[in-house]
């Protein structure tokens, strides 16, 4: 069976007009695993990049691992297949390697023809725009995800942003088991218990935002001083290995057994983020980086849903 590469490439916040170039550059740099989502609003453009790379003879479809994600508004079992087919047609693919539930948050359905991607607000044009929850249980969504595997639309299924309680529950009702849990993880949010539990259940964990604050500066969800790359301990370890601070943080992620999916629009940093297999951190270095944990979550619906969409909506607490 095809393996998901430990270092993948994240597509969140890559502008559609940049996607074709970025995907081509990333494939040239050696990336084969791409982390996509309907909500990123760029799957058609990502698809153009994939197609261009295949047509240029750089890769075949079988060489690539393509992940996409079911958006919150499509959780009802009646809408899961259509959402998956939309991602497939935008990406220009006839199957996904992995399809994930993006958040354990069901929102009111917005038809694809009405607005796509629907994002968080039910109707942004309304007099009082609001984020509207939908009463769809996750077990019903999961059964519809399982049906996608039977249809051959995706080879594997999994979840994002589940905590340990939701994971126990999922493992109790899943007929087809999830293969991947994708969660925020970096040295400021090490998530040891959740990662251990996922491992006990046989899931691979993918760490998103593996560089921590960097992705959240432009969204005003982190402050400059919160970058793990400026931590003296990380810089000292980087100097000792002749590597960059980013490479040390990413190496730590892979060496602890998680997959990582760093995003970069810059070809030099794309290559830098892949070049982490030619050195090994010592146990002491691994522990020193893990000791930076501050349970600092940058991507927290319990914070941003209220700030940005006016609905208090914690999921981890
Ligand atoms: P990352 O940790 O990948 O950080 C990306 C930021 O770091 C960008 O600003 C990038 O800038 C910069 N950067 C990248 N490499 C370097 C480097 N070597 N040195 C210095 N700066 C660097 O954050 P993301 O939030 O993008 O997470 C990665 C992926 O995870 C996403 O793209 C998405 O696919 C996925 N994700 C999934 C979520 C989920 O809910 N399932 C939530 C959030 C993310 P530049 O481009 O200029 O290099």
């Amino acid at each position: 069976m095809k393996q998901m590469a430990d270092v993948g490439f994240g597509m969140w916040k890559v502008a559609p007009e940049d996607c074709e170039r970025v995907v081509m550059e990333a494939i040239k740099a050696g990336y084969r695993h791409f982390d996509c989502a309907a909500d990123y609003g760029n799957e058609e453009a990502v698809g153009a990049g994939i197609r261009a790379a295949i047509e240029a003879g750089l890769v075949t479809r079988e060489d690539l691992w393509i992940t996409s994600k079911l958006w919150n508004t499509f959780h009802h079992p009646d809408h899961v297949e259509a959402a998956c087919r939309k991602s497939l047609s935008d990406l220009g693919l006839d199957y996904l390697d992995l399809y994930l539930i993006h958040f354990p948050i069901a929102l009111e359905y917005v038809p694809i023809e009405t607005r796509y991607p629907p994002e968080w607000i039910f109707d942004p044009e309304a007099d009082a725009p609001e984020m509207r929850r939908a009463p769809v249980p996750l077990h019903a969504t999961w059964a519809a995800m399982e049906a996608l595997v039977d249809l051959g639309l995706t080879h594997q299924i999994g979840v994002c942003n589940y905590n340990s309680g939701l994971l126990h529950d999922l493992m109790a009702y899943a007929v087809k088991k999830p293969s991947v849990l994708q969660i925020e993880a970096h040295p400021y949010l090490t998530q040891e218990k959740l990662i251990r539990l996922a491992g006990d259940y046989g899931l691979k964990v993918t760490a998103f935002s593996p560089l921590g604050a960097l992705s959240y500066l432009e969204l005003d969800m982190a402050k400059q001083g919160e970058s793990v790359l400026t931590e003296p301990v990380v810089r000292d370890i980087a100097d000792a290995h002749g590597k960059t601070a980013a490479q040390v943080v990413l190496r730590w992620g892979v060496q602890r057994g998680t997959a990582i999916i760093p995003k970069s629009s810059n070809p030099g940093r794309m290559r830098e983020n892949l070049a982490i297999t030619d050195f090994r951190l010592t146990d002491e270095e691994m522990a020193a980086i893990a000791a930076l944990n501050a349970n600092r979550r940058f991507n927290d619906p319990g914070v941003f849903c209220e700030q940005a969409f006016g609905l208090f909506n914690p999921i981890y607490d």
Side-chain angles (χ1 to χ4, degrees):
M1 203 165 60
K2 201 198 287 185
Q3 291 284 319
M4 183 175 82
D6 274 348
V7 185
F9 191 91
M11 295 304 314
W12 183 35
K13 294 195 257 96
V14 181
E17 60 273 23
D18 293 336
C19 279
E20 187 169 341
R21 171 190 70 82
V22 164
V23 170
M24 276 290 265
E25 298 275 10
I27 287 175
K28 283 184 191 157
Y31 290 90
R32 296 292 179 265
H33 161 189
F34 288 85
D35 185 76
C36 312
D39 189 53
Y40 301 163
N42 58 12
E43 287 192 318
E44 249 185 293
V46 172
I50 293 172
R51 199 159 46 249
I54 292 174
E55 280 169 9
L58 296 175
V59 283
T60 64
R61 168 66 186 97
E62 288 65 43
D63 295 331
L64 297 172
W65 177 284
I66 308 293
T67 299
S68 184
K69 311 189 189 85
L70 177 78
W71 185 241
N72 304 344
T73 49
F74 302 116
H75 273 215
H76 191 284
D78 288 350
H79 307 309
V80 170
E81 184 183 330
C84 181
R85 287 191 187 276
K86 170 70 173 153
S87 280
L88 282 169
S89 80
D90 282 357
L91 289 163
L93 304 176
D94 48 12
Y95 70 93
L96 296 167
D97 295 279
L98 177 65
Y99 198 49
L100 302 169
I101 294 179
H102 203 147
F103 281 98
I105 299 173
L107 295 180
E108 194 162 320
Y109 175 58
V110 176
I112 289 170
E113 311 74 51
T114 303
R115 201 176 67 257
Y116 191 86
E119 303 184 336
W120 296 84
I121 296 285
F122 178 69
D123 177 7
E125 308 298 323
D127 290 342
E130 54 183 356
M131 177 179 150
R132 287 194 197 163
R133 292 191 196 103
V136 184
L138 287 165
H139 66 78
T141 307
W142 187 255
M145 295 285 285
E146 290 173 339
L148 301 178
V149 179
D150 292 329
L151 290 167
L153 301 182
T154 184
H155 289 173
Q156 298 185 22
I157 47 179
V159 295
C160 306
N161 299 307
Y162 276 37
N163 63 12
S164 47
L166 286 180
L167 189 58
H168 285 299
D169 196 41
L170 171 61
M171 296 311 291
Y173 58 68
V175 177
K176 290 190 200 314
K177 303 296 181 197
S179 59
V180 170
L181 169 68
Q182 186 178 120
I183 51 168
E184 180 177 341
H186 43 72
Y188 287 156
L189 182 70
T190 53
Q191 306 246 44
E192 265 112 11
K193 288 180 187 161
L194 183 53
I195 290 173
R196 180 174 164 194
L197 182 72
D200 287 352
Y201 277 129
L203 278 78
K204 179 78 183 176
V205 173
T206 299
F208 75 67
S209 305
L211 293 165
L214 290 186
S215 173
Y216 298 93
L217 294 171
E218 60 188 313
L219 302 172
D220 268 341
M221 290 159 74
K223 300 188 194 69
Q224 284 291 347
E226 293 187 285
S227 173
V228 71
L229 302 191
T230 56
E231 285 284 351
V233 63
V234 173
R235 301 202 77 92
D236 288 350
I237 294 170
D239 288 346
H241 289 275
K243 290 283 174 181
T244 66
Q247 286 173 317
V248 166
V249 167
L250 296 176
R251 173 74 211 180
W252 172 84
V254 168
Q255 203 170 308
R256 72 200 294 247
T258 60
I260 54 169
I261 43 174
K263 170 265 170 187
S264 179
S265 297
N266 173 290
R269 287 193 286 278
M270 288 177 195
R271 288 192 292 275
E272 175 184 337
N273 296 346
L274 260 188
I276 58 170
T277 54
D278 59 350
F279 73 112
R280 203 175 161 76
L281 300 170
T282 65
D283 291 348
E284 292 72 29
E285 289 168 338
M286 289 294 291
I289 296 169
L292 294 171
N293 183 40
N295 297 321
R296 173 66 168 105
R297 191 186 294 281
F298 296 102
N299 194 321
D300 187 348
V303 175
F304 71 75
C305 286
E306 185 165 35
Q307 286 174 348
F309 316 122
L311 184 71
F312 178 52
N313 200 57
I315 59 172
Y316 301 113
D317 310 81

